[in-house]
Amino acid sequence: MHFASDNSGPVHPEVLAVLAEANEGYQMAYGADTLMDEVRDRIRDIFEAPEAAVYLVATGTAANALALATLSQPWETIFCAPMAHIQEDECNAPEFYSGAKLTLVPGGDKMAPEALRQAIENEETRGVHGPQRGPVSITQVTERGSVYSLQELRALCAVAKEFDLPVHLDGARFTNALVALNCSPAEMTWKAGVDVVSFGGTKNGLMGVEAVILFDAQKALEFELRRKRGAHLFSKHRYLSAQMAAYLRDDLWLRSARQANDNCARLADGLRAAGASFAHEPQANMIFANLPRKQHRRLHDAGVAYHLWGSNLEGSDEDELLTCRLVCDWSIKPEEIDRFLALL
Amino acid sequence: MHFASDNSGPVHPEVLAVLAEANEGYQMAYGADTLMDEVRDRIRDIFEAPEAAVYLVATGTAANALALATLSQPWETIFCAPMAHIQEDECNAPEFYSGAKLTLVPGGDKMAPEALRQAIENEETRGVHGPQRGPVSITQVTERGSVYSLQELRALCAVAKEFDLPVHLDGARFTNALVALNCSPAEMTWKAGVDVVSFGGTKNGLMGVEAVILFDAQKALEFELRRKRGAHLFSKHRYLSAQMAAYLRDDLWLRSARQANDNCARLADGLRAAGASFAHEPQANMIFANLPRKQHRRLHDAGVAYHLWGSNLEGSDEDELLTCRLVCDWSIKPEEIDRFLALL
Amino acid sequence: MHFASDNSGPVHPEVLAVLAEANEGYQMAYGADTLMDEVRDRIRDIFEAPEAAVYLVATGTAANALALATLSQPWETIFCAPMAHIQEDECNAPEFYSGAKLTLVPGGDKMAPEALRQAIENEETRGVHGPQRGPVSITQVTERGSVYSLQELRALCAVAKEFDLPVHLDGARFTNALVALNCSPAEMTWKAGVDVVSFGGTKNGLMGVEAVILFDAQKALEFELRRKRGAHLFSKHRYLSAQMAAYLRDDLWLRSARQANDNCARLADGLRAAGASFAHEPQANMIFANLPRKQHRRLHDAGVAYHLWGSNLEGSDEDELLTCRLVCDWSIKPEEIDRFLALL
Amino acid sequence: MHFASDNSGPVHPEVLAVLAEANEGYQMAYGADTLMDEVRDRIRDIFEAPEAAVYLVATGTAANALALATLSQPWETIFCAPMAHIQEDECNAPEFYSGAKLTLVPGGDKMAPEALRQAIENEETRGVHGPQRGPVSITQVTERGSVYSLQELRALCAVAKEFDLPVHLDGARFTNALVALNCSPAEMTWKAGVDVVSFGGTKNGLMGVEAVILFDAQKALEFELRRKRGAHLFSKHRYLSAQMAAYLRDDLWLRSARQANDNCARLADGLRAAGASFAHEPQANMIFANLPRKQHRRLHDAGVAYHLWGSNLEGSDEDELLTCRLVCDWSIKPEEIDRFLALL
């Protein structure tokens, strides 16, 4: 029973199958492979964006850092939530690639439009002395498992546009959000005002592929050069393409995300029934549940893997509520969830 | 018939097999997978370096840039050959990661010890005004298919050590050189004086994995932080480990390189027999052959893929000698080579 | 009547005199001038630090950015107050020079030891994923005119030392604080636990010179190389030395700071007598006073120069309290202050 | 007798006078001083460039590094001569500021148009793998004391323009060249095809001021932000303005350069008469003369200061010719030159 991370699960077998299929003969290196043509076309189709520039990289941090570097200047500041992945989990990669700094918009895991406006207004009040206003980066699904509604996304983008700032969407769990919102990719991105999206695949069943989609292709060459300079251009690129091709064929991306979200809902329902409360309402494939220490102990002893969040098992108060993070991916079996719930 | 690049060939089936095998159940992310333990142990064994720090990244440019950044300071200069990959083919990645600049040691594809000493002596002659002396980077196999002998490697490293400079070996085609020299990995690296090696796998049958081996582990944590900050730490790291594990099991790395070198020798012999001369003596898996334009035309029309080097097919002089680069990988069939030779 | 900034006042005549005196004959360039020897000796004396490395640069931002870069690594984060000059007024220079990011310690203009400890503890909780803990930067005098007591400085440094982190003191108004505390430079720096200090001169009557003092000289050469690489090494360095020499001769630095602080106290007393309240208690040479709009209008119309802080003169409520910043430097005449007060 | 460097001489008294004059009362900080208005107008006039953006910095390296960063992208390469100051004497500052690398155009101290074209053509031959073509940087006067004729400048710029590359002129000794060529500033810059010029003052009698002139003001704000981010924006900016104002009033810049060039010509004539040969024909204020060791010894013993170039006094062959660099500035007295020549 493994709920530690959607980075820990296996690759979907359909992905392995396309990798094997792609392993025939010779292919042009560095992104000139024929599978990349399929991927590009498919993503443009899916996003209703026939002019979009589409690139593949192997890590989410690379997708974010390269996207933000392309959208910003080294004397700017990037607006994001205090618990954004780019702030907390990328070891200065966005700053390394962009030269820009990050301004944390006060609030919880979601940015609120008014807080964003305030944060933007607070910058560029001192001429060249302070950093200049740069892109807004929104994490969808947030790091706490929340999903921005379309209305919320539109409102954030509208604030950015008031100040002529570009918007980046960190979609490491893009499809989990999409499935939760039951909307179209276009609605969740450019129709809402997003300029560039990190369209994640790794957490949703791929080995390691994320697409970066620039709806305005004007900076496409800049992105390509930044990717190469960052050492993120793959020579045997066809194996990135193959993963993404498999992902988009037969709706694997949607099926996997639905499965993950369904697993998560089943788990949340069971937790709720067992009396657990939630630090954040589960909306996609992540749960932050509060459970008494004794239950954590029981789960831990039974070999269930997950992270305690800001606390640990040590401590004598058996009834103290400790928050844990439980993440579901496509591969979890309903029986495992039932076994987990039985342990409660 | 594809001789354009060893980046264009397929992945070895044994690698796919281990990838599939690795795809069972859950694994710790970010390099804490059990296959990485196997890889680390195996590499330490193979290199007779029980204390070495071993890391995996997905591109050769990442391996080189991260290794050089770890060995240098941003006010230093890195010594390399004018046609080194880090100079010509990495779009400023080494400079981006290290902050250092490159000093080109005059000469051909191989650095000569005396030229290296001269280049080093020319730096640090003006106090803080010029860059300070930094690491020496040696490409083995060189970009023109030459192999440094052990004696040559030792002589270069000895020069670096005279000035207390660390040595990096760009081993994108490490195993092709090893097989050509018929020596041990230790002899070709730390016993000769190499401090850090980019131990390539991609060009020799993997999807995209290179190991960086730091024989002195003192800067191991720095390397890890640089890797993460560069966005080169894989979440589903087990799939990098699996490739490298497959590579090292049952001597696949050696078998593949031998096959590539053998293919290359067969091709070179045929070319020689057909009257071709060589711009560089073929020593590993690359050939730079001089052929008259009319022969290039014939090969081209027959669909043989390879790069003309600094020239093109246009031109009226049918007998003009044009240099072409032919690269062999493990996957080429002897029949293909024979077909190629028959076309001559 | 000019209270807008201690950057707007003239250079002290004694400084001009030494500049003229330094203008005789030839001098070695780039810091090898004889006046620099005097400056180095004098600073070591004054700071009771015979081994300290001492360097001059021309801007406070250069002093801070170079000092912090020398103390940090690009994968670290620097701890400072949210209104620190390095955060708000240096347009990403500290990040540019160091590669590190900034972590804002919640609180007011002064960092509290407990808040600092909490901020430090919040970092390095996620292995290589988050930034690593880096130097602590303390601004003395703060950007709101407060002065850390020796006890407060020691407490902050003690927290940093618990975590083995170096401490930087941004002393753009070093001497104003020193005079306010009536302590020795050693007490306010290394005896309290400070490792590197930006010892400001510009705001206190120089043209443009700040010393960077590294109490541990181990990184002296690194600093020199960073200074040159940052383009902050002056060829005609003697004119920097001359300014600093003048500053330290005959206690000009102390006299000027005392004069500025006295001016400020006189102004504060008058404001208090006129019924003004203070957003921050004036402790050195800066006042943040709350005055009704109508008084600001009167002062403004009379040509008094100062900054309104986060508000402006527009508005109809004549009694609304608006905060203004008033800064005094050595050159202000008591009569000007009296004229100002008469306007109230 | 001091011929070591035009960085070692004193500041012109007229400059000190304007500094003293500028030291009255209060002035807006950070470049908003009234003297800067005078400077901007005057430079636009002198360069016949009413739309040019004009900025002041304190070091030549800052001027070059900021100018080149503004003209380039971090994935580009800057073309320059192998002995350019930006290559040899700026400790990676241009790379630090721009992120770009340098491509050395083979040849002597002057770039030849054909060599430049060849160097440009050699880049961008490998798509995104190599660096992209970036600005061309020309040093006028060169580091060996040569002056590009207007025709030569035009030819170099024409090559750059063929490839749509911007041109930077490193004019640390701008006025010495101008006086030597007896042309107008416009002819030597934008009329020849130069886009941005580092217009040096320090080596020609100022304390430390260089102007950066962007003939196309489109990137003016970018330059300002880069200057601040690089910590090169002076708070008490009026003292930079005052220097430059003094420089341009009453033709001080031209008078000083003429005096330096005249001193140099007098010295060169004397050397020639004494039988010395020249490694480079003296054209401005620098001489590279070949003298036998015994003469160097005599000069050295008499206390004449200058640099031996790539050799030293040690050695037994008294007749061996050693090259020395002799630099003249405005302040050298004819009597000193005569004393020097008498020693020969």
Side-chain angles (χ1 to χ4, degrees):
Chain A
M1 285 167 294
H2 204 288
F3 303 98
S5 168
D6 37 10
N7 284 324
S8 295
V11 167
H12 199 284
E14 296 177 27
V15 175
L16 285 190
V18 182
L19 277 173
E21 178 191 309
N23 201 38
E24 287 307 307
Y26 296 86
Q27 273 288 345
M28 299 287 279
Y30 297 114
D33 51 285
T34 48
L35 273 166
M36 186 59 207
D37 295 334
E38 173 185 334
V39 164
R40 195 181 299 105
D41 289 349
R42 191 82 185 89
I43 285 185
R44 286 174 171 172
D45 251 31
I46 286 174
F47 281 83
E48 305 166 46
E51 310 289 338
V54 179
Y55 299 106
L56 301 182
V57 293
T59 71
T61 298
N64 289 339
L66 288 166
L68 287 168
T70 304
L71 291 177
S72 65
Q73 296 288 349
W75 46 82
E76 292 180 352
T77 190
I78 296 162
F79 299 91
C80 66
M83 45 188 79
H85 200 268
I86 58 170
Q87 159 67 7
E88 293 218 309
D89 282 296
E90 302 190 349
C91 194
N92 302 5
E95 291 93 340
F96 175 44
Y97 278 86
S98 69
K101 69 190 293 175
L102 305 189
T103 293
L104 308 182
V105 177
D109 62 330
K110 274 190 192 176
M111 284 191 287
E114 263 324 298
L116 174 61
R117 175 180 288 109
Q118 191 56 61
I120 295 173
E121 280 174 351
N122 286 348
E123 299 292 349
E124 266 189 46
T125 56
R126 26 186 91 218
V128 301
H129 297 277
Q132 308 299 294
R133 297 162 180 162
V136 174
S137 181
I138 305 172
T139 317
Q140 171 83 311
V141 180
T142 75
E143 295 297 313
R144 293 301 175 272
S146 307
V147 177
Y148 286 97
S149 69
L150 288 185
Q151 196 178 337
E152 287 170 325
L153 284 178
R154 284 181 207 128
L156 286 172
C157 294
V159 171
K161 296 310 169 200
E162 271 176 51
F163 297 90
D164 251 332
L165 304 177
V167 178
H168 165 250
L169 191 81
D170 174 359
R173 295 186 179 91
F174 185 94
T175 318
N176 299 286
L178 194 79
V179 160
L181 291 182
N182 195 21
C183 67
S184 76
E187 284 171 323
M188 206 169 87
T189 56
W190 64 268
K191 285 187 176 171
V194 170
D195 297 287
V196 174
V197 61
S198 299
F199 174 58
T202 312
K203 289 180 193 295
N204 196 25
L206 301 187
M207 269 189 190
V209 175
E210 320 277 307
V212 177
I213 308 168
L214 298 87
F215 294 111
D216 177 349
Q218 217 186 323
K219 290 195 155 186
L221 178 59
E222 174 174 338
F223 186 90
E224 286 189 56
L225 289 159
R226 288 189 180 276
R227 178 175 59 166
K228 175 66 195 174
R229 177 174 171 258
H232 287 287
L233 176 59
F234 271 54
S235 54
K236 296 191 173 174
H237 186 280
R238 64 166 128 172
Y239 302 102
L240 296 190
S241 306
Q243 293 179 56
M244 186 51 78
Y247 194 54
L248 300 177
R249 285 184 195 168
D250 307 319
D251 288 345
L252 175 60
W253 59 306
L254 296 168
R255 282 184 283 131
S256 293
R258 261 184 221 121
Q259 221 166 323
N261 285 12
D262 288 351
N263 285 337
C264 183
R266 185 190 191 93
L267 187 56
D269 288 348
L271 281 160
R272 211 183 316 258
S277 63
F278 298 109
H280 306 269
E281 188 54 30
Q283 294 182 280
N285 71 326
M286 270 192 291
I287 295 170
F288 288 79
N290 305 311
L291 292 173
R293 176 172 280 109
K294 60 187 170 209
Q295 281 194 323
H296 284 300
R297 244 192 253 288
R298 203 174 312 136
L299 293 163
H300 183 259
D301 293 346
V304 187
Y306 59 80
H307 288 295
L308 282 177
W309 212 247
S311 58
N312 57 60
L313 269 189
E314 322 288 297
S316 55
D317 180 355
E318 288 300 296
D319 294 318
E320 192 190 348
L321 288 179
L322 308 179
T323 304
C324 64
R325 188 188 77 161
L326 303 161
V327 191
C328 295
D329 84 344
W330 66 271
S331 71
I332 291 172
K333 305 273 175 314
E335 307 86 77
E336 288 177 275
I337 293 171
D338 294 343
R339 268 205 294 149
F340 175 98
L341 293 174
L343 283 167
L344 294 181
Chain B
M1 286 168 293
H2 202 288
F3 302 97
S5 168
D6 36 9
N7 285 323
S8 295
V11 167
H12 199 284
E14 295 178 28
V15 175
L16 284 189
V18 182
L19 276 174
E21 180 191 307
N23 201 38
E24 286 307 305
Y26 297 87
Q27 272 289 345
M28 298 288 280
Y30 297 113
D33 53 285
T34 49
L35 273 166
M36 185 60 206
D37 295 334
E38 173 186 333
V39 165
R40 194 182 298 106
D41 289 349
R42 193 79 186 91
I43 285 185
R44 286 173 171 171
D45 252 31
I46 286 174
F47 280 84
E48 306 167 48
E51 311 289 337
V54 179
Y55 299 106
L56 302 182
V57 293
T59 72
T61 298
N64 289 340
L66 288 167
L68 287 167
T70 303
L71 291 177
S72 66
Q73 296 289 348
W75 45 83
E76 292 181 352
T77 190
I78 296 163
F79 298 92
C80 66
M83 46 187 78
H85 200 267
I86 59 170
Q87 161 66 9
E88 294 218 309
D89 283 297
E90 303 192 348
C91 193
N92 300 7
E95 292 92 340
F96 175 44
Y97 277 86
S98 69
K101 69 190 292 174
L102 305 189
T103 292
L104 309 183
V105 177
D109 63 331
K110 273 190 192 177
M111 283 190 288
E114 265 324 296
L116 175 61
R117 175 180 289 108
Q118 193 53 62
I120 296 174
E121 281 175 350
N122 286 348
E123 299 293 348
E124 269 190 43
T125 58
R126 25 187 91 216
V128 302
H129 297 277
Q132 308 298 294
R133 296 162 179 162
V136 174
S137 181
I138 305 172
T139 317
Q140 172 81 314
V141 180
T142 74
E143 296 296 316
R144 293 303 176 268
S146 307
V147 176
Y148 286 98
S149 71
L150 287 185
Q151 198 179 334
E152 288 171 324
L153 283 178
R154 284 183 208 124
L156 286 172
C157 293
V159 170
K161 297 309 170 199
E162 271 176 51
F163 297 90
D164 251 334
L165 304 177
V167 177
H168 165 249
L169 191 80
D170 174 359
R173 294 186 180 92
F174 185 94
T175 317
N176 299 287
L178 194 79
V179 161
L181 291 182
N182 195 21
C183 68
S184 77
E187 284 171 323
M188 206 168 87
T189 56
W190 64 267
K191 285 186 176 171
V194 170
D195 297 287
V196 174
V197 61
S198 300
F199 174 57
T202 311
K203 289 182 194 295
N204 196 25
L206 300 187
M207 270 188 189
V209 175
E210 320 277 308
V212 177
I213 308 169
L214 297 86
F215 294 111
D216 176 349
Q218 218 185 324
K219 289 196 155 184
L221 178 59
E222 174 173 337
F223 186 89
E224 287 190 53
L225 289 159
R226 287 189 181 278
R227 178 176 57 168
K228 174 66 195 174
R229 177 174 171 258
H232 288 288
L233 176 58
F234 271 53
S235 54
K236 296 189 172 174
H237 186 280
R238 61 166 130 172
Y239 302 101
L240 296 191
S241 307
Q243 294 179 54
M244 186 52 77
Y247 194 54
L248 300 177
R249 285 183 195 168
D250 306 319
D251 288 345
L252 175 60
W253 60 306
L254 296 168
R255 282 185 282 131
S256 294
R258 262 184 221 119
Q259 222 165 321
N261 287 11
D262 288 353
N263 286 337
C264 182
R266 185 191 191 92
L267 186 56
D269 287 348
L271 282 159
R272 214 184 313 261
S277 63
F278 298 110
H280 306 270
E281 187 55 30
Q283 295 182 278
N285 69 326
M286 270 191 291
I287 295 169
F288 288 78
N290 305 313
L291 293 172
R293 177 173 277 111
K294 61 186 169 208
Q295 280 194 322
H296 285 300
R297 246 192 253 285
R298 203 175 314 135
L299 293 163
H300 184 259
D301 292 347
V304 187
Y306 58 80
H307 288 294
L308 282 178
W309 212 248
S311 57
N312 57 60
L313 269 190
E314 324 288 299
S316 55
D317 179 354
E318 287 301 297
D319 294 318
E320 191 190 351
L321 288 180
L322 308 179
T323 304
C324 64
R325 189 188 76 161
L326 303 161
V327 191
C328 295
D329 84 345
W330 65 273
S331 71
I332 292 173
K333 305 273 175 311
E335 306 86 76
E336 289 177 274
I337 294 171
D338 294 344
R339 268 206 292 148
F340 175 98
L341 294 173
L343 284 167
L344 294 182
Chain C
M1 287 168 293
H2 203 290
F3 303 98
S5 168
D6 37 9
N7 285 324
S8 295
V11 168
H12 199 285
E14 296 177 26
V15 176
L16 285 189
V18 182
L19 277 173
E21 180 191 305
N23 201 38
E24 286 307 308
Y26 296 87
Q27 273 289 345
M28 299 286 280
Y30 298 114
D33 52 287
T34 48
L35 274 166
M36 186 60 206
D37 295 333
E38 174 186 333
V39 164
R40 195 182 297 107
D41 288 350
R42 193 79 186 91
I43 285 185
R44 286 173 172 172
D45 252 32
I46 286 174
F47 281 84
E48 304 166 48
E51 311 289 337
V54 179
Y55 298 106
L56 301 182
V57 293
T59 72
T61 298
N64 290 338
L66 287 166
L68 288 168
T70 304
L71 290 177
S72 66
Q73 296 289 349
W75 45 84
E76 292 180 352
T77 190
I78 296 162
F79 298 93
C80 67
M83 46 188 79
H85 199 268
I86 59 171
Q87 160 66 9
E88 294 218 309
D89 282 297
E90 302 190 348
C91 193
N92 301 7
E95 293 92 340
F96 175 43
Y97 277 85
S98 68
K101 68 190 293 176
L102 305 189
T103 293
L104 308 182
V105 176
D109 62 331
K110 274 190 191 176
M111 283 191 287
E114 264 325 297
L116 174 61
R117 175 180 288 106
Q118 192 54 62
I120 295 174
E121 280 174 351
N122 286 349
E123 299 293 349
E124 269 189 44
T125 57
R126 27 186 91 216
V128 301
H129 297 277
Q132 308 298 293
R133 296 162 180 161
V136 174
S137 181
I138 304 172
T139 316
Q140 172 79 318
V141 178
T142 74
E143 295 296 314
R144 293 302 175 272
S146 307
V147 177
Y148 287 97
S149 71
L150 287 185
Q151 197 178 334
E152 287 171 325
L153 282 178
R154 285 183 206 124
L156 286 172
C157 293
V159 170
K161 296 310 167 197
E162 272 177 51
F163 297 90
D164 252 331
L165 303 178
V167 177
H168 165 249
L169 191 81
D170 174 359
R173 295 186 179 92
F174 185 93
T175 317
N176 300 286
L178 194 79
V179 161
L181 291 181
N182 195 21
C183 68
S184 77
E187 284 171 325
M188 205 169 89
T189 57
W190 64 268
K191 286 187 176 171
V194 171
D195 297 286
V196 174
V197 59
S198 301
F199 173 57
T202 312
K203 289 180 194 295
N204 196 25
L206 300 187
M207 268 188 191
V209 175
E210 320 277 309
V212 178
I213 308 168
L214 297 87
F215 295 110
D216 177 349
Q218 218 185 323
K219 289 196 156 183
L221 179 59
E222 173 174 336
F223 185 90
E224 286 189 54
L225 289 159
R226 287 188 181 278
R227 180 177 55 168
K228 175 66 196 174
R229 176 174 171 257
H232 288 288
L233 177 58
F234 270 54
S235 55
K236 295 190 172 171
H237 187 280
R238 63 166 129 173
Y239 302 101
L240 295 190
S241 307
Q243 294 180 54
M244 186 53 76
Y247 195 56
L248 301 176
R249 285 183 194 169
D250 306 320
D251 288 345
L252 175 60
W253 59 305
L254 296 169
R255 282 185 282 132
S256 293
R258 262 185 221 120
Q259 222 166 322
N261 286 12
D262 289 350
N263 285 338
C264 183
R266 185 190 191 95
L267 186 57
D269 287 348
L271 282 161
R272 210 182 318 258
S277 63
F278 298 111
H280 306 270
E281 188 55 30
Q283 295 183 280
N285 69 327
M286 269 191 291
I287 295 170
F288 288 79
N290 305 311
L291 293 173
R293 177 172 278 111
K294 62 189 168 205
Q295 281 194 323
H296 284 299
R297 242 190 256 286
R298 203 175 313 137
L299 293 163
H300 184 259
D301 292 346
V304 186
Y306 59 80
H307 288 294
L308 282 178
W309 213 247
S311 58
N312 57 60
L313 269 190
E314 323 287 298
S316 55
D317 180 354
E318 289 299 296
D319 294 318
E320 193 190 349
L321 289 179
L322 307 180
T323 304
C324 65
R325 189 187 78 161
L326 303 162
V327 191
C328 296
D329 84 344
W330 66 273
S331 70
I332 291 173
K333 305 273 176 312
E335 307 85 77
E336 288 177 276
I337 294 171
D338 294 343
R339 268 207 292 149
F340 176 97
L341 293 173
L343 284 167
L344 293 181
Chain D
M1 287 167 295
H2 203 289
F3 303 98
S5 168
D6 37 9
N7 285 323
S8 295
V11 167
H12 200 284
E14 296 178 25
V15 175
L16 285 189
V18 181
L19 277 174
E21 179 192 306
N23 200 38
E24 286 306 306
Y26 296 87
Q27 271 289 347
M28 299 288 279
Y30 297 113
D33 51 285
T34 48
L35 274 166
M36 186 58 207
D37 295 333
E38 173 186 334
V39 165
R40 194 182 298 106
D41 289 349
R42 193 78 186 91
I43 286 186
R44 286 174 171 172
D45 252 31
I46 286 174
F47 281 84
E48 305 166 47
E51 310 289 338
V54 179
Y55 299 106
L56 302 182
V57 293
T59 72
T61 298
N64 289 339
L66 288 167
L68 288 167
T70 303
L71 291 178
S72 65
Q73 295 289 348
W75 45 84
E76 293 181 352
T77 190
I78 296 161
F79 299 91
C80 66
M83 45 188 80
H85 200 268
I86 60 170
Q87 160 67 8
E88 294 218 309
D89 282 297
E90 302 192 347
C91 194
N92 300 7
E95 293 92 339
F96 175 44
Y97 277 85
S98 69
K101 69 189 295 174
L102 305 189
T103 292
L104 308 182
V105 178
D109 63 330
K110 273 192 194 176
M111 285 190 287
E114 263 325 297
L116 175 61
R117 175 180 288 108
Q118 191 55 60
I120 295 174
E121 279 174 352
N122 286 348
E123 300 293 347
E124 268 188 45
T125 57
R126 25 186 93 217
V128 301
H129 297 277
Q132 308 299 294
R133 296 162 181 163
V136 174
S137 181
I138 305 172
T139 315
Q140 172 81 316
V141 179
T142 75
E143 297 296 316
R144 293 303 175 269
S146 306
V147 176
Y148 286 98
S149 70
L150 288 186
Q151 197 179 336
E152 287 170 325
L153 283 178
R154 283 182 208 126
L156 286 172
C157 293
V159 171
K161 297 310 167 199
E162 271 177 49
F163 297 91
D164 249 333
L165 304 178
V167 178
H168 165 248
L169 190 82
D170 175 359
R173 295 186 180 91
F174 185 94
T175 318
N176 299 286
L178 193 79
V179 161
L181 292 181
N182 195 21
C183 68
S184 76
E187 283 171 326
M188 205 169 88
T189 55
W190 64 268
K191 285 187 176 170
V194 171
D195 297 288
V196 174
V197 61
S198 300
F199 173 58
T202 312
K203 288 181 194 294
N204 196 25
L206 301 186
M207 270 189 188
V209 175
E210 319 277 307
V212 177
I213 308 168
L214 298 87
F215 294 111
D216 176 350
Q218 216 185 327
K219 288 196 157 185
L221 178 59
E222 174 174 336
F223 186 90
E224 287 190 54
L225 290 159
R226 288 189 180 277
R227 178 176 59 167
K228 173 67 194 175
R229 177 174 171 258
H232 288 288
L233 176 59
F234 271 53
S235 55
K236 295 188 173 175
H237 187 280
R238 63 166 128 172
Y239 302 102
L240 296 191
S241 307
Q243 294 179 56
M244 187 52 77
Y247 194 55
L248 301 177
R249 286 183 194 167
D250 306 319
D251 288 344
L252 175 60
W253 60 306
L254 296 168
R255 282 184 283 132
S256 293
R258 261 183 222 120
Q259 221 165 324
N261 286 12
D262 288 351
N263 285 337
C264 182
R266 185 190 191 93
L267 188 55
D269 288 348
L271 282 160
R272 210 183 317 257
S277 63
F278 299 110
H280 307 268
E281 187 55 30
Q283 296 183 278
N285 70 326
M286 270 191 292
I287 295 169
F288 288 78
N290 305 312
L291 294 172
R293 177 173 278 111
K294 61 189 169 207
Q295 280 194 322
H296 285 298
R297 242 190 256 287
R298 204 174 312 135
L299 293 163
H300 184 257
D301 293 346
V304 187
Y306 58 80
H307 289 294
L308 283 177
W309 214 247
S311 59
N312 57 60
L313 269 189
E314 324 286 299
S316 54
D317 180 353
E318 288 300 297
D319 294 318
E320 191 190 350
L321 288 180
L322 308 179
T323 304
C324 65
R325 188 189 76 162
L326 303 162
V327 191
C328 295
D329 83 345
W330 65 274
S331 70
I332 292 173
K333 306 272 174 314
E335 307 87 76
E336 288 177 275
I337 293 171
D338 295 343
R339 267 205 294 147
F340 175 97
L341 294 174
L343 284 167
L344 292 182

